[in-house]
Amino acid sequence: MLILTCPYCGVRADETELSPGGEAHLTRHGPGSSDDDFHGYLFTRENPRGVHFERWRHAYGCGKWFHAARDTMTLEVFGTYPAQTTEPPRDICDAITARHPGWNWRDFS
Amino acid sequence: MSDPVSALNGAEFHGLIDVADAGLTGMITLRGNLGAAKAKKAVKAVTGTAVPAVGEVLGSGETATAWMSPDELLLIVPYAEVAQRVAKAETALAGEHAMVVDVSDARAVLTVTGSDAREVMAKLCPVDLSPAAFGKGDFRRTRMAQIPAALWMTESDQFTVICFRSVADYAFALLKVAAQPGSAVGAF
Ligand SMILES: [Zn+2]
């Protein structure tokens, strides 16, 4: 069972109240981009065993998208934060570091 | 003109608790910047309340304002006065980027009443409904089994539940099963 706190409602939402939205912080490469960039945007994903950043939507609640940082192996949640950002907030990165010193995920560490 | 009829048309069930169609209820969706002065004015004009805080419902009975999301409120008003109150909101919001829509006939409203009302709702929703966690003034959008629903407490032993009109029968049937006589769990 995964429980994530919606950063907009403050509701501790059961996984069944949420819709998963795949990997977080993707850069969209659209028309005019190189084939490699477009391929990466469409298909290349992290799929780690451990620290991961994801998008979730509070589908049965406020309906808003948010981001979550969690451990895919233990289901430990490091924090959730609004979707209107291109990188995880410092306090969440610090919480991950406390548990997994030296972690990195894409360009974040 | 045909007469308006609520989805459950006055249905009632008496079991562990009472489940009843709340009847025709005026409901107005207001979307926009809830911090704007004009939005506050519009809410005041329609329901007489302030803009509720996150997860809060203000007002009582036939006239209330509920927090739906960071940019959405539900204004509950008497059914017969919806058109006139939508007009009031639109006047107050003139020039503001906002939306006011009458959703009364798109929804169904039920009441769940009885000393085990918390328990019946808790069987269906993934929400902590213990008295310490949820009480009068709290408003929660969630799922009730397989459908979206919104609920709040109108009395200390009564919930009002809103769902989409198309699933009103399903909601009523769910509540009936959860309120079968003898099905008390005694969780709260
Ligand atoms: Zn939410």
Side-chain angles (χ1 to χ4, degrees), chain A residues 69-87:
Chain A
R70 67 182 185 101
D71 188 317
T72 58
M73 189 170 63
T74 63
L75 295 193
E76 178 179 6
V77 177
F78 301 110
T80 54
Y81 49 104
Q84 290 73 26
T85 176
T86 53
E87 57 184 78

mmCIF file of all heavy atoms in Angstrom, chain A residues 69-87:
data_model
loop_
_atom_site.group_PDB
_atom_site.id
_atom_site.type_symbol
_atom_site.label_atom_id
_atom_site.label_comp_id
_atom_site.label_asym_id
_atom_site.label_seq_id
_atom_site.Cartn_x
_atom_site.Cartn_y
_atom_site.Cartn_z
ATOM 1 N N ALA A 69 8.690 11.761 -4.438
ATOM 2 C CA ALA A 69 10.002 11.112 -4.386
ATOM 3 C C ALA A 69 9.869 9.929 -3.452
ATOM 4 O O ALA A 69 9.430 10.078 -2.314
ATOM 5 C CB ALA A 69 11.050 12.085 -3.856
ATOM 6 N N ARG A 70 10.202 8.738 -3.968
ATOM 7 C CA ARG A 70 10.042 7.561 -3.113
ATOM 8 C C ARG A 70 11.053 6.491 -3.476
ATOM 9 O O ARG A 70 11.789 6.611 -4.461
ATOM 10 C CB ARG A 70 8.622 7.001 -3.226
ATOM 11 C CG ARG A 70 8.298 6.410 -4.590
ATOM 12 C CD ARG A 70 6.861 5.931 -4.642
ATOM 13 N NE ARG A 70 6.599 5.250 -5.915
ATOM 14 C CZ ARG A 70 6.555 3.926 -6.070
ATOM 15 N NH1 ARG A 70 6.756 3.138 -5.036
ATOM 16 N NH2 ARG A 70 6.316 3.395 -7.255
ATOM 17 N N ASP A 71 11.086 5.458 -2.655
ATOM 18 C CA ASP A 71 11.981 4.327 -2.878
ATOM 19 C C ASP A 71 11.140 3.193 -3.454
ATOM 20 O O ASP A 71 10.212 2.715 -2.797
ATOM 21 C CB ASP A 71 12.605 3.928 -1.530
ATOM 22 C CG ASP A 71 13.695 2.878 -1.687
ATOM 23 O OD1 ASP A 71 13.491 1.928 -2.469
ATOM 24 O OD2 ASP A 71 14.735 2.992 -1.012
ATOM 25 N N THR A 72 11.464 2.761 -4.662
ATOM 26 C CA THR A 72 10.632 1.740 -5.315
ATOM 27 C C THR A 72 10.785 0.368 -4.666
ATOM 28 O O THR A 72 9.974 -0.516 -4.899
ATOM 29 C CB THR A 72 10.991 1.598 -6.811
ATOM 30 O OG1 THR A 72 12.381 1.261 -6.909
ATOM 31 C CG2 THR A 72 10.719 2.868 -7.580
ATOM 32 N N MET A 73 11.842 0.204 -3.866
ATOM 33 C CA MET A 73 12.064 -1.100 -3.253
ATOM 34 C C MET A 73 11.350 -1.209 -1.899
ATOM 35 O O MET A 73 10.692 -2.198 -1.618
ATOM 36 C CB MET A 73 13.561 -1.335 -3.070
ATOM 37 C CG MET A 73 13.895 -2.749 -2.632
ATOM 38 S SD MET A 73 15.651 -3.070 -2.718
ATOM 39 C CE MET A 73 16.298 -1.915 -1.549
ATOM 40 N N THR A 74 11.447 -0.143 -1.091
ATOM 41 C CA THR A 74 10.876 -0.200 0.263
ATOM 42 C C THR A 74 9.528 0.512 0.354
ATOM 43 O O THR A 74 8.850 0.410 1.367
ATOM 44 C CB THR A 74 11.816 0.476 1.270
ATOM 45 O OG1 THR A 74 11.932 1.852 0.904
ATOM 46 C CG2 THR A 74 13.196 -0.162 1.255
ATOM 47 N N LEU A 75 9.161 1.255 -0.700
ATOM 48 C CA LEU A 75 7.957 2.091 -0.715
ATOM 49 C C LEU A 75 8.049 3.261 0.255
ATOM 50 O O LEU A 75 7.054 3.926 0.522
ATOM 51 C CB LEU A 75 6.671 1.289 -0.448
ATOM 52 C CG LEU A 75 6.268 0.254 -1.491
ATOM 53 C CD1 LEU A 75 4.831 -0.201 -1.234
ATOM 54 C CD2 LEU A 75 6.394 0.783 -2.906
ATOM 55 N N GLU A 76 9.236 3.521 0.807
ATOM 56 C CA GLU A 76 9.399 4.706 1.652
ATOM 57 C C GLU A 76 9.177 5.958 0.803
ATOM 58 O O GLU A 76 9.692 6.059 -0.316
ATOM 59 C CB GLU A 76 10.812 4.736 2.246
ATOM 60 C CG GLU A 76 11.040 5.985 3.101
ATOM 61 C CD GLU A 76 12.434 6.027 3.734
ATOM 62 O OE1 GLU A 76 13.262 5.146 3.430
ATOM 63 O OE2 GLU A 76 12.673 6.957 4.522
ATOM 64 N N VAL A 77 8.392 6.885 1.334
ATOM 65 C CA VAL A 77 8.132 8.137 0.624
ATOM 66 C C VAL A 77 8.981 9.237 1.246
ATOM 67 O O VAL A 77 8.938 9.462 2.449
ATOM 68 C CB VAL A 77 6.628 8.500 0.689
ATOM 69 C CG1 VAL A 77 6.378 9.844 0.017
ATOM 70 C CG2 VAL A 77 5.803 7.403 0.038
ATOM 71 N N PHE A 78 9.771 9.926 0.404
ATOM 72 C CA PHE A 78 10.636 10.993 0.916
ATOM 73 C C PHE A 78 9.918 12.331 0.941
ATOM 74 O O PHE A 78 10.309 13.245 1.654
ATOM 75 C CB PHE A 78 11.912 11.084 0.077
ATOM 76 C CG PHE A 78 12.699 9.804 0.065
ATOM 77 C CD1 PHE A 78 12.779 9.021 -1.077
ATOM 78 C CD2 PHE A 78 13.336 9.365 1.223
ATOM 79 C CE1 PHE A 78 13.483 7.832 -1.075
ATOM 80 C CE2 PHE A 78 14.047 8.171 1.237
ATOM 81 C CZ PHE A 78 14.114 7.397 0.085
ATOM 82 N N GLY A 79 8.879 12.448 0.117
ATOM 83 C CA GLY A 79 8.126 13.691 0.123
ATOM 84 C C GLY A 79 7.362 13.875 -1.173
ATOM 85 O O GLY A 79 7.606 13.172 -2.163
ATOM 86 N N THR A 80 6.405 14.793 -1.136
ATOM 87 C CA THR A 80 5.656 15.152 -2.342
ATOM 88 C C THR A 80 5.739 16.662 -2.507
ATOM 89 O O THR A 80 5.939 17.378 -1.528
ATOM 90 C CB THR A 80 4.179 14.738 -2.228
ATOM 91 O OG1 THR A 80 3.638 15.299 -1.027
ATOM 92 C CG2 THR A 80 4.023 13.227 -2.181
ATOM 93 N N TYR A 81 5.626 17.132 -3.738
ATOM 94 C CA TYR A 81 5.731 18.578 -3.982
ATOM 95 C C TYR A 81 4.951 18.920 -5.246
ATOM 96 O O TYR A 81 4.700 18.061 -6.089
ATOM 97 C CB TYR A 81 7.200 19.003 -4.070
ATOM 98 C CG TYR A 81 8.071 18.170 -4.990
ATOM 99 C CD1 TYR A 81 8.457 18.653 -6.240
ATOM 100 C CD2 TYR A 81 8.517 16.903 -4.605
ATOM 101 C CE1 TYR A 81 9.255 17.900 -7.084
ATOM 102 C CE2 TYR A 81 9.314 16.140 -5.445
ATOM 103 C CZ TYR A 81 9.680 16.646 -6.684
ATOM 104 O OH TYR A 81 10.454 15.897 -7.524
ATOM 105 N N PRO A 82 4.539 20.194 -5.370
ATOM 106 C CA PRO A 82 3.706 20.589 -6.508
ATOM 107 C C PRO A 82 4.393 20.337 -7.853
ATOM 108 O O PRO A 82 5.623 20.263 -7.926
ATOM 109 C CB PRO A 82 3.485 22.090 -6.285
ATOM 110 C CG PRO A 82 3.694 22.295 -4.829
ATOM 111 C CD PRO A 82 4.742 21.304 -4.420
ATOM 112 N N ALA A 83 3.608 20.217 -8.894
ATOM 113 C CA ALA A 83 4.137 19.884 -10.215
ATOM 114 C C ALA A 83 4.805 21.075 -10.912
ATOM 115 O O ALA A 83 5.508 20.891 -11.896
ATOM 116 C CB ALA A 83 3.022 19.331 -11.098
ATOM 117 N N GLN A 84 4.567 22.284 -10.396
ATOM 118 C CA GLN A 84 5.061 23.475 -11.102
ATOM 119 C C GLN A 84 6.529 23.748 -10.776
ATOM 120 O O GLN A 84 6.893 24.821 -10.288
ATOM 121 C CB GLN A 84 4.212 24.704 -10.762
ATOM 122 C CG GLN A 84 2.814 24.663 -11.335
ATOM 123 C CD GLN A 84 1.907 23.679 -10.620
ATOM 124 O OE1 GLN A 84 2.119 23.371 -9.461
ATOM 125 N NE2 GLN A 84 0.898 23.173 -11.314
ATOM 126 N N THR A 85 7.381 22.773 -11.033
ATOM 127 C CA THR A 85 8.807 22.945 -10.775
ATOM 128 C C THR A 85 9.573 21.978 -11.675
ATOM 129 O O THR A 85 9.038 20.966 -12.091
ATOM 130 C CB THR A 85 9.145 22.674 -9.290
ATOM 131 O OG1 THR A 85 10.551 22.772 -9.111
ATOM 132 C CG2 THR A 85 8.711 21.289 -8.852
ATOM 133 N N THR A 86 10.820 22.324 -11.978
ATOM 134 C CA THR A 86 11.612 21.455 -12.847
ATOM 135 C C THR A 86 12.616 20.621 -12.062
ATOM 136 O O THR A 86 13.346 19.833 -12.644
ATOM 137 C CB THR A 86 12.379 22.289 -13.897
ATOM 138 O OG1 THR A 86 13.113 23.303 -13.212
ATOM 139 C CG2 THR A 86 11.415 22.935 -14.881
ATOM 140 N N GLU A 87 12.666 20.832 -10.738
ATOM 141 C CA GLU A 87 13.580 20.012 -9.944
ATOM 142 C C GLU A 87 13.029 19.805 -8.535
ATOM 143 O O GLU A 87 12.230 20.609 -8.056
ATOM 144 C CB GLU A 87 14.958 20.660 -9.876
ATOM 145 C CG GLU A 87 14.943 22.068 -9.313
ATOM 146 C CD GLU A 87 16.346 22.677 -9.379
ATOM 147 O OE1 GLU A 87 16.760 23.108 -10.469
ATOM 148 O OE2 GLU A 87 17.007 22.698 -8.328
#
